[in-house]
Amino acid sequence: MSEQYWIGGFFVDEARNQITHNAHTQTLPPKALTVLTYLAKRQGEVVSQEELLNQVWKDTVVSPNTLQRCIAQLRKALGDDGKAQGLIKTHAKKGYSLEAAIRWEDQQKGHFGDNDALDKSPTHLYAMPEDNKTIKAGFNKKQIFTLSLIIALVITLLISITRMLWPSSVLTPSPANAMRIIDIRLLTSTDDRELASTYSPDGKFIVFQRFPEVMCKSHLWAKNIETQQEYQLTRELGTYGNLAFSEDGASLTVVKQNNCSAPAQQKKCFLLQQVDFEQALLSPQTPTTLMECKHTEIKSPTWMSANDIALLQKDQGRWRLIRYSVSANKSTLLYEVSNGSVVSYAFSKSHNLIALTAVHESGVLHVEKLAPEGTLLSSNPINFNGVIPQYGAIYPNFSPIDGHLIFSTGKQLFTVSFDGDISPISMPLTDAIGTPLFHPNGKKMLAIKGHYDSDIVSVPLSQFSHSAHVPQIVAQQPDVLPPVNYETVVRSMQEENRAKYQPDGNLIAYFSEGDGTSQVWTTTIPQGAAGSQNDFPHSAADSNYTKQRSQFPTNTYVRNILWAADGRSLLVNASSQLTRLYLNSKEEAISLNYPVRSLFHWDSQNKTAVANILYKGVNTLVELNLTNSEFRILTHHDVTWAAKTVTGELIYKDNADKLWISGAIENELIPELTTQGSHQNFIVKNDVVYGINDHYQLWKYMLENGTLEFLGQLPESVDYITDVNDNAILITLRVAARKDVVELSIE
């Protein structure tokens, strides 16, 4: 039976995998909550690691690191310092104990211990307990219905009076307001992450990807919604994209990424694969490859007929829509934008229409309607009107509201009409939610609800004084490296990232989602320390150390942060628009003619920047003049990251993870780093390049003499390497990446 109890001011709801404190709710992995509950039942006792592993992970072999990770997650959620250990105490070579007093819900209010009652009351509001006072219960369904009826009658009366007095002032409700979410339920809830869900054509099954903890590869799974039975569909783990059913539900199609074999022009090859769904329900299958792309990218397959699959294909930097014939094994162009790029598309069999969003030459996002054969029926610019950022990319799907699509910004749900008008939808969620996909009956929709938590850590350079030098590219890369030691600098229960050291100062700038929105913050580094456990960690909400520097709207997302040379201001790329934030609270918007996809370098004195801009639908590396919006193209390579050396040389990474350096006549590959590039970023300091390879090994490369040095082994939870100074490297580590498939009922 799932438990509910209090640990001090923290309410633990094991059934919902949640801990609530001061009206703030955190979602944790189920196993972490099971560990906490087991310790709570043995409050004050020392419970051995072996006992916890045997009780929580019955019939499953896991390492002690798994338990230690759960303890770290619990301490963080409970605000417990790993050194002070005020709540959960570690007993060396013995185990753990929960030292705080426990108050069980069924001891204080009988019906709270009734799980059935809780299941029937999802709107229950938890009140904070006080000594010698009764806990206030939330509203039941009857009270909520009565209150809703009264509110509805009052609103109707007010509207009627308003119409009589001011008939011209009453606005017609937007189509989005006609859609109301009445229920949300979890369809998956495991320690793993579930993504990319879709319904089977008959609506009986959902299929999704399930990622084992930390791993970047997944299995394909199915779940019978009525029986709750789950089925593993694939034998081997793979890097899969979105899933799509054939019309009859017999085949499941997906794009899988593999490492390319020669000859190829890219690091990853893209395979369009098919799974026999009925056979996979009986036993896991190996997908059949329909075609392989070694020189272009493909994604987002959708069955349009019994024999044709629509796909997005990247050609010379631009995405276009193609149709692939399974029987003929050939593809034809369905639609492309001249000097632009398709962003997303959706196909509706019932409407016999294709809806897509596309960026045109001006950089303006359009919503477009196509006939199934690719004929353009309508095209209109999207009217953002300040509701979401101007250059926000949206990925809409068809909705039951005629003429309107539905999409998510990650924070909110919206509809967009084919005329380009955006309207918000009321959504009772606190966690981020992905764009929904509707059930065949139109009354329910699937979405991915998740919580992402990453911390900023400092890696002291002093630990690398005895690393092994590899002076030649032919030298063997070490198979085993010592683990890298690091110290937490900034942490909260939300995402922190993109940390940058202040030039000649004691601040670190970074972005945080600590208050539920993406904002720029700064925190103080203690004098004389690159970061030590005596001074860190501290919360992003601790005013003694940190300060919020921006006030961006809710649906803004901070992509990059750079300091001015004098350390008195920051240049921020937020949702593809640049803003200069001064430490004296002054704010200056930088007006440009193009969306900025990534910001790499800022020369604050000469007012120029190196960035990827969206130019004629293609991400293009340029040097921007921030005063007049003019730019100079630096390369026509598809660049994923770039930096400048102190002498002004440009170093960049292409889409095959090869590193290049600018030359007198042409750009040149850096041969020593041919196999060291990865999807991770790199940084440059004093003509030394620091990076992370595909094996999560931290390395540095000296441009002056071409020496490559391997420093140590990082955990697979590393997200990005973001900055370096004379004492330490800043890195972002994932703490939790919880993703669940949810079903939303609407009326």
Side-chain angles (χ1 to χ4, degrees):
M1 182 180 72
S2 297
E3 303 286 357
Q4 294 177 310
Y5 51 95
W6 294 89
I7 302 176
F10 294 86
F11 180 81
V12 181
D13 186 346
E14 189 182 6
R16 290 179 171 84
N17 304 318
Q18 292 177 344
I19 296 179
T20 302
H21 179 62
N22 289 338
H24 174 65
T25 298
Q26 308 167 40
T27 302
L28 273 72
K31 293 299 186 187
L33 267 298
T34 305
V35 169
L36 183 61
T37 300
Y38 195 84
L39 291 174
K41 291 179 178 179
R42 302 276 297 275
Q43 188 269 337
E45 299 180 29
V46 179
V47 182
S48 69
Q49 287 192 19
E50 183 179 1
E51 181 178 348
L52 284 168
L53 290 170
N54 290 337
Q55 293 297 321
V56 177
W57 287 272
K58 294 179 180 178
D59 303 320
T60 304
V61 179
V62 296
S63 69
N65 289 338
T66 303
L67 174 60
Q68 293 165 8
R69 187 159 48 248
C70 286
I71 295 294
Q73 292 168 339
L74 291 170
R75 281 176 172 154
K76 186 171 184 179
L78 297 170
D80 195 10
D81 191 296
K83 282 191 168 293
Q85 298 183 4
L87 298 178
I88 302 176
K89 187 174 181 180
T90 301
H91 301 268
K93 298 183 180 180
K94 294 183 179 180
Y96 301 96
S97 65
L98 184 61
E99 300 297 323
I102 308 298
R103 299 188 297 282
W104 299 92
E105 277 296 289
D106 54 1
Q107 295 174 357
Q108 299 193 28
K109 193 86 170 179
H111 77 274
F112 276 73
D114 184 353
N115 286 322
D116 292 335
L118 277 172
D119 290 339
K120 296 174 183 177
S121 305
T123 53
H124 172 73
L125 304 176
Y126 299 114
M128 292 297 296
E130 296 179 14
D131 293 339
N132 303 320
K133 292 186 180 181
T134 303
I135 299 175
K136 297 180 181 179
F139 298 112
N140 59 34
K141 279 191 171 181
K142 184 175 180 180
Q143 292 170 319
I144 292 173
F145 176 79
T146 304
L147 182 60
S148 301
L149 184 60
I150 293 172
I151 292 173
L153 290 172
V154 171
I155 292 173
T156 303
L157 180 61
L158 288 174
I159 291 175
S160 299
I161 294 172
T162 304
R163 281 176 174 160
M164 288 188 293
L165 296 177
W166 303 284
S168 63
S169 67
V170 180
L171 299 176
T172 302
S174 69
N177 293 331
M179 183 185 299
R180 190 166 70 91
I181 298 171
I182 59 174
D183 186 38
I184 302 169
R185 68 172 181 136
L186 284 171
L187 294 185
T188 63
S189 181
T190 68
D191 287 333
D192 301 324
R193 291 178 296 139
E194 284 86 20
L195 292 172
S197 60
T198 190
Y199 287 108
S200 60
D202 58 11
K204 294 182 180 179
F205 289 88
I206 62 167
V207 293
F208 54 90
Q209 297 178 32
R210 174 165 286 163
F211 291 80
E213 191 173 3
V214 179
M215 295 189 68
C216 297
K217 295 184 177 181
S218 67
H219 276 299
L220 304 185
W221 283 76
K223 185 170 188 173
N224 186 309
I225 300 175
E226 294 180 0
T227 66
Q228 301 297 303
Q229 185 174 355
E230 292 189 346
Y231 307 84
Q232 182 178 316
L233 304 179
T234 51
R235 290 179 182 172
E236 300 88 15
L237 290 164
T239 304
Y240 298 106
N242 293 338
L243 307 169
F245 271 102
S246 59
E247 286 183 294
D248 57 5
S251 296
L252 185 65
T253 306
V254 66
V255 171
K256 180 183 178 182
Q257 293 185 40
N258 273 357
N259 290 327
C260 274
S261 58
Q265 296 178 358
Q266 52 196 31
K267 187 174 182 177
K268 295 290 183 180
C269 286
F270 296 80
L271 286 69
L272 180 63
Q273 295 190 321
Q274 181 174 303
V275 177
D276 186 318
F277 186 61
E278 293 183 359
Q279 288 298 317
L281 292 177
L282 301 176
S283 63
Q285 301 291 303
T286 299
T288 302
T289 298
L290 300 177
M291 70 170 180
E292 180 178 7
C293 295
K294 292 187 175 183
H295 309 297
T296 61
E297 297 179 35
I298 54 172
K299 65 179 181 180
S300 305
T302 298
W303 286 85
M304 298 186 67
S305 66
N307 195 45
D308 291 336
I309 300 172
L311 292 158
L312 287 179
Q313 181 188 35
K314 193 174 186 180
D315 180 44
Q316 297 181 347
R318 295 187 180 92
W319 289 97
R320 61 182 189 170
L321 186 62
I322 65 170
R323 182 199 298 266
Y324 172 73
S325 171
V326 178
S327 59
N329 190 29
K330 60 181 289 188
S331 64
T332 55
L333 178 66
L334 263 180
Y335 182 72
E336 65 180 347
V337 182
S338 177
N339 288 332
S341 182
V342 175
V343 175
S344 71
Y345 81 101
F347 173 68
S348 170
K349 183 71 175 177
S350 59
H351 293 84
N352 200 32
L353 284 176
I354 298 172
L356 60 81
T357 56
V359 175
H360 286 234
E361 183 173 357
S362 61
V364 175
L365 191 66
H366 285 58
V367 58
E368 302 183 334
K369 186 192 302 183
L370 305 179
E373 69 274 8
T375 303
L376 181 64
L377 302 177
S378 69
S379 177
N380 290 290
I382 294 176
N383 305 316
F384 291 98
N385 293 329
V387 178
I388 60 177
Q390 176 183 356
Y391 293 124
I394 64 175
Y395 306 87
N397 284 320
F398 281 89
S399 80
I401 303 175
D402 189 37
H404 288 76
L405 308 169
I406 188 170
F407 70 93
S408 170
T409 60
K411 302 291 185 183
Q412 292 177 276
L413 284 177
F414 295 88
T415 62
V416 58
S417 71
F418 282 110
D419 293 328
D421 297 321
I422 291 177
S423 301
I425 296 174
S426 175
M427 180 180 64
L429 285 174
T430 55
D431 288 338
I433 183 171
T435 296
L437 181 70
F438 277 89
H439 189 279
N441 66 18
K443 296 181 180 179
K444 296 180 180 181
M445 51 187 176
L446 285 180
I448 302 297
K449 184 172 76 74
H451 169 75
Y452 190 83
D453 181 12
S454 62
D455 293 344
I456 297 167
V457 303
S458 170
V459 177
L461 292 175
S462 58
Q463 66 183 291
F464 304 129
S465 57
H466 300 293
S467 298
H469 290 270
V470 184
Q472 301 293 332
I473 189 64
V474 295
Q476 290 295 319
Q477 181 173 317
D479 293 327
V480 180
L481 285 171
V484 170
N485 298 318
Y486 54 85
E487 302 153 353
T488 303
V489 176
V490 180
R491 74 178 187 188
S492 75
M493 290 303 299
Q494 302 296 327
E495 179 182 5
E496 278 80 37
N497 209 334
R498 310 295 185 184
K500 293 288 183 181
Y501 286 114
Q502 181 186 30
D504 302 320
N506 64 344
L507 295 178
I508 292 176
Y510 58 96
F511 97 74
S512 172
E513 299 231 358
D515 67 349
T517 63
S518 185
Q519 304 294 344
V520 177
W521 293 67
T522 59
T523 189
T524 305
I525 309 171
Q527 292 294 329
S532 67
Q533 290 288 5
N534 294 327
D535 301 303
F536 297 113
H538 57 264
S539 168
D542 189 342
S543 59
N544 293 327
Y545 291 96
T546 66
K547 183 174 181 179
Q548 185 175 329
R549 299 290 180 176
S550 65
Q551 296 292 336
F552 294 126
T554 298
N555 293 295
T556 305
Y557 185 77
V558 176
R559 296 176 182 271
N560 312 102
I561 305 170
L562 294 174
W563 282 98
D566 60 8
R568 296 180 182 179
S569 63
L570 295 155
L571 187 62
V572 181
N573 179 21
S575 294
S576 299
Q577 295 175 289
L578 299 186
T579 301
R580 187 169 185 175
L581 303 176
Y582 293 84
L583 297 187
N584 63 6
S585 299
K586 177 184 173 183
E587 185 175 312
E588 175 187 343
I590 309 295
S591 179
L592 298 172
N593 298 330
Y594 302 93
V596 177
R597 292 310 191 205
S598 298
L599 177 66
F600 303 123
H601 175 80
W602 179 30
D603 186 338
S604 55
Q605 294 178 332
N606 294 315
K607 298 182 180 179
T608 62
V610 174
N612 261 346
I613 67 169
L614 195 62
Y615 176 57
K616 296 183 178 181
V618 179
N619 276 334
T620 307
L621 187 67
V622 302
E623 184 177 69
L624 272 170
N625 186 322
L626 299 180
T627 59
N628 59 17
S629 196
E630 294 180 355
F631 61 85
R632 176 173 63 92
I633 296 177
L634 299 176
T635 179
H636 289 286
H637 277 133
D638 188 355
V639 173
T640 59
W641 198 253
K644 271 196 171 184
T645 68
V646 291
T647 55
E649 292 173 304
L650 177 69
I651 298 178
Y652 63 87
K653 179 164 63 74
D654 64 19
N655 64 342
D657 294 336
K658 299 290 195 303
L659 273 74
W660 298 71
I661 188 168
S662 58
I665 300 177
E666 61 180 8
N667 300 332
E668 301 174 354
L669 275 170
I670 302 177
E672 293 84 0
L673 301 181
T674 301
T675 60
Q676 300 307 315
S678 70
H679 69 280
Q680 308 286 348
N681 301 337
F682 63 86
I683 51 178
V684 178
K685 177 73 172 180
N686 296 330
D687 289 338
V688 178
V689 185
Y690 294 85
I692 303 168
N693 61 28
D694 286 330
H695 304 288
Y696 301 99
Q697 294 173 332
L698 179 65
W699 53 262
K700 74 175 184 179
Y701 174 73
M702 280 66 75
L703 290 167
E704 183 179 5
N705 57 19
T707 300
L708 176 64
E709 182 179 349
F710 294 95
L711 302 179
Q713 185 69 50
L714 286 165
E716 292 186 15
S717 58
V718 62
D719 246 0
Y720 294 108
I721 179 171
T722 61
D723 204 5
V724 62
N725 65 9
D726 293 334
N727 300 313
I729 301 172
L730 291 178
I731 289 178
T732 305
L733 292 183
R734 294 188 306 277
V735 177
R738 181 68 185 274
K739 300 287 183 181
D740 296 311
V741 181
V742 297
E743 188 173 58
L744 298 83
S745 299
I746 63 170
E747 65 175 12

